[in-house]
Amino acid sequence: MVGNMNTLKPNWFSETCDMWPGATFSFEVKELLHEEKSPYQQIHVFDTTHLGKVLVLDGIIQCTQKDEFSYQEMISFLPLCCHKNPEKVLIVGGGDGGVAREVAKHPKVKEIVQVEIDAKVIEVSKKYLPFMAVGFESEKLTLHVGDGFEFLKNHTAEFDVIITDSSDPIGPAVHLFEENYFTLMKKALKPGGIVCSQAGTVWNDLDLVTSTLRYCKNQFAVAAYAYASVPTYPSGQIGFVVGSLDKDAKLDTPLLVFSREDEKAMNLRYYNSEVHKAAFTLPTFVKYQLA
Amino acid sequence: MVGNMNTLKPNWFSETCDMWPGATFSFEVKELLHEEKSPYQQIHVFDTTHLGKVLVLDGIIQCTQKDEFSYQEMISFLPLCCHKNPEKVLIVGGGDGGVAREVAKHPKVKEIVQVEIDAKVIEVSKKYLPFMAVGFESEKLTLHVGDGFEFLKNHTAEFDVIITDSSDPIGPAVHLFEENYFTLMKKALKPGGIVCSQAGTVWNDLDLVTSTLRYCKNQFAVAAYAYASVPTYPSGQIGFVVGSLDKDAKLDTPLLVFSREDEKAMNLRYYNSEVHKAAFTLPTFVKYQLA
């Protein structure tokens, strides 16, 4: 056995989650800006020495100012750019506002509906994370506080794209990883509709990725897994399950290709049309597991 | 200010490096297998609860049994598969044996020369990390203990591919990130030769990536940066600068394409011919910085 190797100082915060035992990410805190127990979860907002502002829910990092753009851009533009006319978009979750910020940029999007279960996350994000909560200011957006699962039950053939920006499958988001949820989303989509859901990482959650993709494949004509690099998430990346009702859809091929001018105008820092295709290219140990 | 948030138990090891302040990765230790100060660096080998065996040099994780394959396969097969006939390969560094293990698998490689500066790293890897040190058993390999920089001064027009599997640009590897080193490698290569060097990550070391790629571009006809996902490295990924003396080389296009049978025969768990191409596809914030 070994002696005390824990060299972290008291002002370092370490992520703790039973989903990923034996390894963790920590950051140095400048100031705890907010701490609160909402009806759904424990909320922390930190100012940090090197990652900017950080939102933590139930001990798990949701986003950091340094790298949130890669996640928000990818979960938004992957589905939007392989739909031929994504006029009406539903966002489930996304209480920090980052996904609304990205979706509102897309030139073809006319109307965004968002359903976030925890009003406190919206409130805290507006106060401490304005670089993401700016998404709530879009004139295209109608924001509801409520349960996305219940919301979908009352909507049929209404949306072109549904983006599920959930926390991990413990706590309030657990139902968003079940096959029923994909059935409900299918019902709420117009013909040719597309879904994109946060779906965990292949290094830590390959079983979760596999089951979520299977549920999507069971309900949708075409489905695939893609991923993005997000250094402050466990294993440094996160993935998305994307599904389309159109049997001829090519999810890895954007129908709308952005020029350098488009990228600049939309302030895209991670997503580009080549990254879209590469995101669906999987390492060998994943490729055959998910095939 | 905040109180004590450091919740890590005493048997957790945290990486510490001035190159990446304010954020760190930690793992739970089952047993410290080895601790030693060599003439070049501090060496630790751990058995861990969830990452298998882990090699740490000067406080920085070099490889874990869980994910070392992605790094070793990519730094080896990216250059080997875009050279038309990589018969003779030089490995600089790579004292754990993992790169030799991968290079030896390639069907066209006939002869491998390796120069590792620290005999203690080789010794410790043979004892505690046999899954990588198995690379030293290849009949294709001649292993030298010495300084790769000095070794190159005495070799001219001899190698088809040079792979530099170094630690980070602090400590013994610092000279391997200088332009002089690329000049020396160029001299040691046969016509059409290719180099591939560990080159840091875009999230933490974009300046380092930029300068290393510039040095390579200054000396080689064609050069590019590619990356792989390695969860236990800072930011969860690491990159490589690849350069070719052949002005018509397409680094992102493998000349030798592997079938599923090839992948199985070589036990490739990360690298495949599509991953090769995708590895050179860069997020927008990197693409234009490196252009």
Side-chain angles (χ1 to χ4, degrees):
Chain A
M1 279 300 294
V2 291
N4 190 348
M5 292 175 299
N6 176 359
T7 53
L8 291 188
K9 301 216 168 104
N11 67 324
W12 284 64
F13 174 87
S14 297
E15 192 172 58
T16 48
C17 179
D18 293 342
M19 288 180 68
W20 316 292
T24 194
F25 179 77
S26 308
F27 56 77
E28 188 181 10
V29 175
K30 211 190 282 182
E31 190 180 354
L32 172 61
L33 296 174
H34 190 80
E35 183 173 27
E36 171 176 16
K37 183 142 180 62
S38 84
Y40 298 98
Q41 53 210 339
Q42 188 76 36
I43 303 172
H44 286 96
V45 183
F46 298 99
D47 192 12
T48 68
T49 60
H50 288 80
L51 304 176
K53 306 290 191 293
V54 177
L55 174 66
V56 172
L57 298 179
D58 284 342
I60 301 175
I61 296 168
Q62 301 301 307
C63 38
T64 86
Q65 196 168 358
K66 181 182 174 182
D67 62 12
E68 52 85 16
F69 65 93
S70 64
Y71 174 82
Q72 323 278 9
E73 291 181 17
M74 290 294 277
I75 198 172
S76 304
F77 285 94
L78 289 178
L80 293 175
C81 289
C82 54
H83 192 288
K84 61 181 185 299
N85 196 21
E87 290 191 352
K88 187 165 182 180
V89 178
L90 173 65
I91 301 168
V92 175
D96 51 47
V99 172
R101 179 192 69 196
E102 296 305 320
V103 172
K105 291 175 180 175
H106 194 284
K108 293 196 172 176
V109 172
K110 290 182 179 165
E111 193 179 348
I112 308 169
V113 178
Q114 180 168 0
V115 188
E116 160 62 42
I117 201 167
D118 195 339
K120 288 295 181 186
V121 172
I122 298 169
E123 189 183 310
V124 161
S125 299
K126 284 182 175 171
K127 184 161 181 190
Y128 297 107
L129 311 167
F131 52 95
M132 289 191 289
V134 66
F136 297 130
E137 294 168 16
S138 170
E139 289 181 358
K140 299 176 180 178
L141 180 76
T142 307
L143 179 60
H144 301 276
V145 173
D147 183 333
F149 202 91
E150 294 303 316
F151 180 91
L152 282 170
K153 289 180 183 169
N154 303 317
H155 293 264
T156 302
E158 188 174 334
F159 302 102
D160 298 301
V161 171
I162 301 177
I163 296 169
T164 305
D165 172 23
S166 73
S167 49
D168 295 298
I170 45 176
V174 65
H175 297 301
L176 307 183
F177 292 81
E178 293 170 357
E179 185 159 349
N180 273 351
Y181 181 65
F182 286 90
T183 316
L184 280 173
M185 287 198 290
K186 182 180 176 179
K187 180 182 72 74
L189 283 173
K190 289 182 194 164
I194 290 184
V195 292
C196 181
S197 287
Q198 193 272 96
T201 92
V202 296
W203 290 101
N204 292 322
D205 316 308
L206 191 51
D207 289 346
L208 173 72
V209 173
T210 307
S211 67
T212 310
L213 181 59
R214 192 172 59 241
Y215 300 152
C216 189
K217 279 184 176 168
N218 290 347
Q219 299 299 327
F220 286 77
V222 178
Y225 177 82
Y227 70 94
S229 162
V230 187
T232 57
Y233 285 157
S235 89
Q237 59 174 220
I238 199 158
F240 316 100
V241 160
V242 189
S244 173
L245 294 175
D246 176 0
K247 69 176 173 42
D248 298 320
K250 290 195 172 61
L251 299 174
D252 69 352
T253 308
L255 294 172
L256 185 62
V257 172
F258 293 141
S259 67
R260 179 63 184 137
E261 279 59 47
D262 295 331
E263 290 165 10
K264 280 183 186 167
M266 290 187 279
N267 189 28
L268 294 178
R269 289 182 282 165
Y270 190 96
Y271 179 91
N272 59 57
S273 301
E274 297 79 39
V275 161
H276 183 123
K277 193 168 187 68
F280 288 89
T281 306
L282 303 176
T284 311
F285 80 101
V286 183
K287 182 178 175 182
Y288 296 100
Q289 163 85 12
L290 297 185
Chain B
M1 279 300 295
V2 291
N4 190 348
M5 293 176 298
N6 175 2
T7 53
L8 292 188
K9 301 218 169 106
N11 67 327
W12 283 64
F13 173 86
S14 297
E15 192 171 59
T16 48
C17 180
D18 293 342
M19 286 179 70
W20 316 293
T24 194
F25 179 77
S26 307
F27 55 78
E28 188 181 9
V29 175
K30 209 189 282 182
E31 190 181 354
L32 172 61
L33 297 174
H34 190 82
E35 183 172 29
E36 171 177 16
K37 185 143 179 61
S38 83
Y40 298 98
Q41 52 210 338
Q42 188 77 36
I43 303 172
H44 286 96
V45 183
F46 298 99
D47 192 13
T48 68
T49 61
H50 289 78
L51 304 176
K53 307 290 190 294
V54 178
L55 174 65
V56 172
L57 299 179
D58 284 342
I60 301 175
I61 295 168
Q62 301 300 305
C63 37
T64 88
Q65 194 168 359
K66 181 182 175 185
D67 62 11
E68 54 86 14
F69 65 91
S70 65
Y71 174 81
Q72 322 278 9
E73 290 181 17
M74 291 294 275
I75 198 172
S76 303
F77 285 94
L78 288 178
L80 293 174
C81 289
C82 55
H83 191 288
K84 63 180 185 298
N85 195 22
E87 290 192 352
K88 187 165 182 180
V89 178
L90 173 66
I91 301 167
V92 175
D96 51 47
V99 172
R101 180 191 71 197
E102 296 305 319
V103 172
K105 290 174 179 176
H106 194 283
K108 293 197 173 178
V109 171
K110 291 183 177 165
E111 193 180 350
I112 308 169
V113 178
Q114 180 169 358
V115 187
E116 160 62 43
I117 201 167
D118 194 339
K120 289 295 180 186
V121 173
I122 298 169
E123 190 184 309
V124 161
S125 298
K126 284 182 175 172
K127 185 162 181 188
Y128 296 107
L129 311 167
F131 53 95
M132 289 192 288
V134 66
F136 296 130
E137 293 168 16
S138 169
E139 289 181 358
K140 298 176 180 177
L141 180 75
T142 307
L143 179 60
H144 301 275
V145 173
D147 182 333
F149 201 91
E150 294 303 315
F151 180 90
L152 282 170
K153 290 182 182 168
N154 303 315
H155 293 264
T156 302
E158 188 174 335
F159 302 102
D160 297 302
V161 171
I162 300 176
I163 296 170
T164 305
D165 173 22
S166 73
S167 49
D168 295 298
I170 45 175
V174 64
H175 297 303
L176 307 182
F177 291 81
E178 295 170 356
E179 186 161 347
N180 273 350
Y181 181 65
F182 285 90
T183 315
L184 279 172
M185 288 198 288
K186 181 179 177 180
K187 179 182 74 72
L189 283 173
K190 289 181 193 164
I194 289 182
V195 293
C196 182
S197 288
Q198 193 270 96
T201 94
V202 297
W203 290 101
N204 292 322
D205 314 307
L206 192 50
D207 289 346
L208 173 72
V209 172
T210 307
S211 66
T212 310
L213 182 58
R214 191 171 60 241
Y215 300 153
C216 189
K217 279 184 174 166
N218 289 347
Q219 299 298 327
F220 286 76
V222 178
Y225 177 82
Y227 70 95
S229 162
V230 186
T232 57
Y233 285 158
S235 90
Q237 61 173 221
I238 198 159
F240 315 100
V241 160
V242 189
S244 173
L245 293 175
D246 176 0
K247 70 177 174 35
D248 298 320
K250 290 195 170 62
L251 298 174
D252 70 353
T253 308
L255 293 172
L256 185 62
V257 172
F258 293 141
S259 68
R260 178 63 183 136
E261 280 59 49
D262 294 332
E263 290 165 9
K264 280 183 185 166
M266 289 186 280
N267 188 29
L268 294 178
R269 290 182 281 167
Y270 190 96
Y271 179 90
N272 58 55
S273 302
E274 297 80 40
V275 161
H276 184 123
K277 194 168 186 70
F280 289 89
T281 306
L282 303 176
T284 311
F285 81 101
V286 182
K287 183 177 173 183
Y288 297 100
Q289 163 83 14
L290 297 185

